[in-house]
Amino acid sequence: MTFHDLQLIDPILRALKDKNYHEPTEIQAKAIPQVLDQRDVLGCAQTGTGKTAAFAIPIIQRIHEMSDGQYRHDDIQALIVTPTRELAIQIDENIREYSKYTDLKHAVIFGGVKQGRQVEQLQRGVHILTATPGRLLDLVEQRYIDLSRIKVLVLDEADRMLDMGFINDIRKILRLVPKERQSLFFSATMPDNIKQLSQTILRNPIRVEVTPVSSTAETVDQRVYYTNRSDKNALLLHILQNRDMDQVLLFSRTKHGADRIVRNLKKKNISAQAIHGDKAQNQRQKALSQFKDGRVRVLVATDIAARGIDIQKLEYVINYDIPNVPETYVHRIGRSGRAGEAGIAISICEPEENVHMRDVEKLIKQKVQVINDHPYPQTEKPMTAAEKKEWNKEKQRRKQEFFAKRKASGGGRGRRGR
Ligand code: AMP
């Protein structure tokens, strides 16, 4: 199948040609005709499947056709809501590329930066707006944005949006958009709460599904190293002795963990940068572009910050810890082996995480290959319930002590997302 078969208009076909897209991905082939047909769509797809173009292209086409290419008014016609700034920026970049041979106006708004420029852009008129929920509601409240004439609403990465606690924001947004509209709802996973949410938004949707989350990107070669907690850093350095690993996305559960890993790598002259919620937007963008052009070998990211990172041909993903939510593991390894490329996902598992690894294997319905040939084998046992309780208490105590000390010295910053 080609993009011509999808009855796309010439300005879009030319833009796709410039991008060197030869044929639609599975989700694009399935979703584009339905969106053009003005149907509501429930899309089950991960990042990396081409889902952004699957909704962006037909939206551009619909708006172009509705306005007859004239764009006589500047109302927001389509609203795309997505959980993270990185994802919002990338979606808007895609829209810019796909719509470059039209006169359509688009903009992106997200928090963490001053609103001035975003407001100026809104005042010049916008047809497709991509937004994170908080800044969107903020600017609606200040009356810079009017959502009352939206024709298409897209909720992207809905599962992540709920994980990040955006449910009330989503409900508020739903009250601001017209009831008569087309809605597109995308999520990598479809647990019950997501299904329920989708039912309140969609009308008689077509369900479009590619690679269900539990089946894992089949091109990803998965390996696990079992080790002790205290040996993780040494094991990581051992793994990175493989010089083929010149571009590695490494996941850390916490922001502090991410910073610590970067420090440890830099001590050994391995170029590394962290991206997480405590980093300013320009720092994140800089780290990402240095990683993309090969100046940074290891990009250390928390799960939320990593959402929407778009790096083609990313071969290696390392899990420095095993997530307690197995779907998160699947999201992480989905960052390698994109668009049919081979990928390798390496997990480092400490005794406490053995149980999480078992949950992962249950979800993906396969055993992950165990690498035993390494100098730091797991010799310790997971803690018993009583030991864990004691350990958590101790951790809590240390944390309180740390913050008390920091407060006493007048230091510290506000807490933001991961
Ligand atoms: P997404 O799932 O939207 O994050 O897209 C994943 C990556 O695939 C992005 O880098 C896109 O630029 C790329 N992509 C999307 N559609 C196509 C296509 N039809 N052919 C080749 N690459 C594509």
Side-chain angles (χ1 to χ4, degrees):
M1 179 186 275
T2 67
F3 284 109
H4 282 275
D5 300 329
L6 295 175
Q7 325 253 304
L8 297 182
I9 51 176
D10 192 54
I12 294 178
L13 289 174
R14 276 164 60 207
L16 294 176
K17 201 164 168 220
D18 290 353
K19 289 276 293 171
N20 268 325
Y21 291 181
H22 299 295
E23 51 185 58
T25 64
E26 188 185 351
I27 184 101
Q28 289 161 6
K30 286 181 177 168
I32 289 175
Q34 303 294 348
V35 182
L36 287 177
D37 214 18
Q38 301 185 33
R39 293 293 305 261
D40 280 8
V41 170
L42 175 62
C44 187
Q46 288 172 257
T47 334
T49 52
K51 78 176 155 66
T52 312
F55 62 76
I57 289 173
I59 287 177
I60 294 167
Q61 175 146 334
R62 274 206 61 203
I63 296 176
H64 188 83
E65 285 177 339
M66 275 189 286
S67 66
D68 227 1
Q70 304 288 309
Y71 306 103
R72 272 179 291 267
H73 51 80
D74 281 344
D75 296 335
I76 301 172
Q77 312 269 308
L79 171 68
I80 299 160
V81 185
T82 191
T84 69
R85 315 170 223 194
E86 283 79 8
L87 206 43
I89 291 170
Q90 264 161 28
I91 292 172
D92 185 62
E93 248 165 42
N94 281 356
I95 291 171
R96 177 171 53 77
E97 289 171 342
Y98 305 143
S99 67
K100 69 181 188 188
Y101 295 116
T102 73
D103 291 322
L104 195 140
K105 293 186 203 165
H106 57 92
V108 58
I109 58 171
F110 46 82
V113 293
K114 290 202 181 118
Q115 68 176 42
R117 274 211 202 146
Q118 297 177 359
V119 169
E120 277 169 30
Q121 220 179 348
L122 288 165
Q123 285 169 335
R124 285 199 293 271
V126 170
H127 303 114
I128 303 183
L129 180 67
T130 306
T132 54
R135 178 57 57 96
L136 175 68
L137 288 170
D138 208 0
L139 293 182
V140 168
E141 212 161 275
Q142 297 177 52
R143 297 188 186 278
Y144 289 119
I145 295 176
D146 173 11
L147 297 178
S148 65
R149 280 187 280 270
I150 297 286
K151 301 202 172 53
V152 189
L153 172 71
V154 182
L155 280 194
D156 185 36
E157 309 257 341
D159 51 352
R160 188 53 45 163
M161 234 140 17
L162 293 205
D163 285 352
M164 288 173 70
F166 284 139
I167 183 68
N168 286 329
D169 285 352
I170 294 173
R171 292 207 179 105
K172 276 187 210 155
I173 294 166
L174 290 172
R175 285 197 290 271
L176 293 166
V177 295
K179 287 210 163 51
E180 273 309 311
R181 56 160 203 264
Q182 182 180 18
S183 305
L184 315 175
F185 184 104
F186 288 87
S187 187
T189 56
M190 286 288 165
D192 285 345
N193 58 346
I194 296 290
K195 266 185 227 145
Q196 276 158 16
L197 176 69
S198 75
Q199 281 157 7
T200 66
I201 294 174
L202 302 168
R203 265 198 297 197
N204 191 19
I206 299 278
R207 199 183 153 111
V208 177
E209 194 169 349
V210 295
T211 11
V213 70
S214 54
S215 76
T216 316
E218 272 152 24
T219 48
V220 181
D221 175 354
Q222 301 167 59
R223 302 165 192 176
V224 57
Y225 288 70
Y226 287 97
T227 191
N228 298 323
R229 185 184 174 82
S230 54
D231 288 330
K232 274 189 166 180
N233 187 49
L235 176 57
L236 174 64
L237 294 172
H238 168 78
I239 292 169
L240 290 174
Q241 277 173 7
N242 178 355
R243 298 302 307 178
D244 287 346
M245 300 177 75
D246 55 1
Q247 198 185 39
V248 179
L249 178 62
L250 187 145
F251 285 95
S252 156
R253 197 167 43 82
T254 66
K255 295 178 280 192
H256 296 302
D259 288 335
R260 198 171 44 240
I261 295 165
V262 168
R263 278 197 303 275
N264 288 337
L265 291 176
K266 281 185 172 167
K267 266 189 220 156
K268 297 287 173 194
N269 290 324
I270 295 174
S271 56
Q273 290 285 347
I275 56 167
H276 54 62
D278 274 358
K279 298 271 179 191
Q281 181 62 18
N282 55 355
Q283 284 177 310
R284 295 196 206 185
Q285 287 297 326
K286 191 169 157 209
L288 191 56
S289 65
Q290 288 184 336
F291 181 60
K292 280 187 183 181
D293 64 26
R295 277 178 289 161
V296 164
R297 184 174 167 206
V298 184
L299 186 70
V300 182
T302 55
D303 290 297
I304 288 173
R307 263 286 153 138
I309 295 179
D310 179 18
I311 301 151
Q312 285 188 6
K313 296 187 188 156
L314 181 64
E315 199 177 346
Y316 290 95
V317 163
I318 296 183
N319 292 314
Y320 196 76
D321 47 56
I322 312 299
N324 57 356
V325 177
E327 279 86 359
T328 303
Y329 170 92
V330 181
H331 286 309
R332 288 178 173 189
I333 71 161
R335 311 318 308 270
S336 74
R338 299 163 75 87
E341 297 288 331
I344 297 174
I346 293 171
S347 298
I348 298 179
C349 181
E350 65 182 64
E352 295 312 308
E353 295 164 347
N354 290 357
V355 53
H356 303 329
M357 203 60 221
R358 282 199 290 276
D359 289 343
V360 164
E361 290 180 328
K362 238 186 263 166
L363 177 75
I364 62 175
K365 299 194 180 75
Q366 71 185 79
K367 284 264 172 235
V368 174
Q369 185 195 354
V370 180
I371 306 292
N372 290 313
D373 183 22
H374 68 88
Y376 306 100
Q378 195 175 88
T379 49
E380 293 163 9
K381 293 266 162 294
M383 284 185 261
T384 63
E387 284 168 340
K388 209 178 230 166
K389 208 169 153 195
E390 256 327 289
W391 187 70
N392 276 334
K393 256 201 221 157
E394 173 62 15
K395 218 167 60 176
Q396 197 60 25
R397 194 191 60 72
R398 281 197 212 165
K399 203 165 141 191
Q400 280 166 357
E401 198 179 275
F402 172 83
F403 284 111
K405 249 194 220 157
R406 196 154 81 168
K407 206 170 162 198
S409 68
R413 282 188 292 161
R415 199 180 139 76
R416 279 190 274 156
R418 271 180 183 165

